[in-house]
Amino acid sequence: MWPISDKLAAAITFITLWLDTAALNPNGNYYKRYENTSITTPITETVNVSKKLVCAIRCGQQADCSGFQLETKNESYLCTTLPVYETVTASVVTIGTDYYEDTQKSATLPKVQSADDLLWFRGKTITDYWVKSNAFPSPLQELSMCCWLTYEDDAVYPLSYMAMTAGVLHQIVFGIFSGSFHVSGSDKSIDGFSIFVDHGWTKQPEVWHSMCVTWESALGAYKVYADGTLKEQGTGMHTGNPVPGGGTLVIGQDQDSLGGGFETFQAFKGKLAGVAIYARAITAAEVTTYSESCRLNAGNLFKWSDIGLGQLHGATVDVIQPATCP
C-alpha cells in the first residue's frame, strides 16, 4: 500500500465532488451503491478514513476487492473492503452504512454465450443479478414471459421489469413465493394487481421446471402456466394500460426501485436457463413447445442468447456450460 502524498491529496480534493455525484452515486458507472445496507461476508480490512474517495482508492488498489462498505461516523467513515469471489451470506438493513459494488470487476465475470448455457445463482444475495437498461424499446399492449428454473428457497424472483413514465414507476414481477407463482403488473402510484397461483411443485434443487405468463392489455387478460399446463387465467390485470418502454430488465432480483432496491429474501437462488420474452401473448401450443426444451432460444423481444447484451453482477453467479436442463 503506497502512502497518500501531497500531490494525491490535492487530486483527492479536486475530484471528491465528482466522486460523490458520479462514482459513488447509485446510478454511477463504477460503484453501485446499496443505501442503508451492510453485507455479511469475509473482509479484507477495516480502517477509518476522512473521505469516501479514500475508501474507493483502497479498494481499487486491492486486486481481489469486489466492493466496500462505508459506515458514517461523526466526521469520518469506517471503511471496510471486501474480497472478490467470497459468498455473501446475508445483506442487512443498517441505517448509516452503505455498500458499494465494484461493477467493473463484476462485469468481467463469465457471460452466457449461447442457448446451451445456464446461470447458477449459488448465493441468496442482493449483489447477484443480471441487468439491462432500455430492455423494451417501446410500449407493449401484449407480453409473455417464460423461463426454466430450479429453485432452492421458498421466495425467489427470477424476472422483474421496471420503467418510469411521467414520474410514476411501473413494475412487472414474476416469481415464486411460498409454494405459489407470484405475478404482479402495476404502477407504484396505486395498489397493484397481484395474483398468487399454486404451482403444485415440490422444492427440489436439481429438478427443472418451466413457467410462463401471458398478458393482454385490452381486458387485462392473463394466463399462468407451470410445465406447460394452464394453472390459472383471468382478466383485470392492468386493464387498458400498456407496459411502458425504456425500462430496466433484471434477472435474479425483484426491483423495488429502478434497477435496484433489491431485498435478500426475494433474491433468486437456484439455476436459470432459456428466459424468453415476447411482445405478444403466445398461444397454448407455443407454451407446450417451450415446456419441452430449455434450448429453444425463443422470444421476439428477448431470447436467452441476448443475455450477453446486458451486465452480470455478483461473486456467486456461475455460468454452466453446457446447461443441465432438459
Side-chain angles (χ1 to χ4, degrees):
M1 184 70 65
W2 43 268
I4 298 178
S5 65
D6 292 341
K7 183 179 291 187
L8 177 60
I12 289 173
T13 302
F14 178 76
I15 65 175
T16 293
L17 179 60
W18 170 84
L19 181 70
D20 284 340
T21 58
L24 290 181
N25 188 282
N27 297 319
N29 294 324
Y30 189 64
Y31 289 107
K32 181 176 177 64
R33 181 172 65 180
Y34 300 85
E35 295 182 89
N36 296 321
T37 299
S38 61
I39 303 297
T40 302
T41 185
I43 65 175
T44 302
E45 66 171 5
T46 300
V47 295
N48 282 299
V49 297
S50 59
K51 298 179 182 295
K52 297 178 181 180
L53 178 59
V54 176
C55 192
I57 289 173
R58 298 183 79 95
C59 182
Q61 290 177 321
Q62 299 166 13
D64 67 342
C65 183
S66 65
F68 59 92
Q69 295 177 172
L70 280 172
E71 179 183 351
T72 303
K73 298 295 186 180
N74 290 333
E75 296 181 356
S76 64
Y77 303 94
L78 186 64
C79 166
T80 302
T81 53
L82 309 173
V84 75
Y85 303 132
E86 293 288 353
T87 300
V88 176
T89 56
S91 63
V92 182
V93 175
T94 308
I95 304 300
T97 296
D98 293 345
Y99 169 67
Y100 296 84
E101 178 193 11
D102 186 333
T103 58
Q104 288 187 347
K105 289 180 180 175
S106 60
T108 64
L109 293 173
K111 293 183 180 294
V112 171
Q113 300 294 332
S114 75
D116 286 330
D117 300 343
L118 66 84
L119 287 177
W120 181 17
F121 292 79
R122 294 184 288 110
K124 188 172 176 66
T125 165
I126 62 170
T127 59
D128 291 351
Y129 62 99
W130 176 93
V131 61
K132 186 180 186 302
S133 58
N134 196 28
F136 300 170
S138 58
L140 301 173
Q141 297 293 337
E142 299 184 8
L143 180 68
S144 300
M145 305 176 77
C146 299
C147 70
W148 279 83
L149 78 166
T150 71
Y151 63 103
E152 303 175 32
D153 194 80
D154 290 330
V156 290
Y157 285 81
L159 298 174
S160 65
Y161 174 80
M162 182 172 281
M164 179 177 287
T165 57
V168 176
L169 284 172
H170 301 258
Q171 182 184 38
I172 299 171
V173 176
F174 185 37
I176 293 174
F177 184 82
S178 189
S180 299
F181 289 144
H182 178 205
V183 182
S184 174
S186 64
D187 70 62
K188 303 289 275 187
S189 67
I190 60 174
D191 291 336
F193 185 99
S194 292
I195 59 171
F196 292 86
V197 180
D198 182 14
H199 51 58
W201 299 338
T202 301
K203 182 178 63 180
Q204 300 180 61
E206 296 304 319
V207 176
W208 283 91
H209 297 283
S210 68
M211 54 192 289
C212 287
V213 60
T214 71
W215 170 85
E216 300 174 68
S217 172
L219 297 175
Y222 66 89
K223 295 180 180 180
V224 182
Y225 297 84
D227 293 331
T229 300
L230 180 64
K231 289 293 185 177
E232 183 168 307
Q233 60 182 323
T235 58
M237 178 181 280
H238 215 43
T239 305
N241 297 298
V243 174
T248 300
L249 178 66
V250 170
I251 295 176
Q253 303 285 347
D254 173 15
Q255 302 172 71
D256 287 335
S257 60
L258 195 62
F262 308 145
E263 297 185 72
T264 303
F265 85 95
Q266 296 172 323
F268 187 80
K269 181 174 178 152
K271 296 173 182 175
L272 277 172
V275 172
I277 303 177
Y278 300 79
R280 58 184 177 84
I282 61 175
T283 66
E286 289 175 297
V287 172
T288 298
T289 299
Y290 178 85
S291 70
E292 293 170 350
S293 174
C294 71
R295 296 176 172 82
L296 292 181
N297 204 30
N300 66 353
L301 191 60
F302 176 90
K303 57 183 180 296
W304 190 233
S305 60
D306 291 338
I307 204 167
L309 302 176
Q311 194 171 51
L312 183 64
H313 298 260
T316 56
V317 184
D318 293 332
V319 177
I320 306 298
Q321 303 165 327
T324 56
C325 50

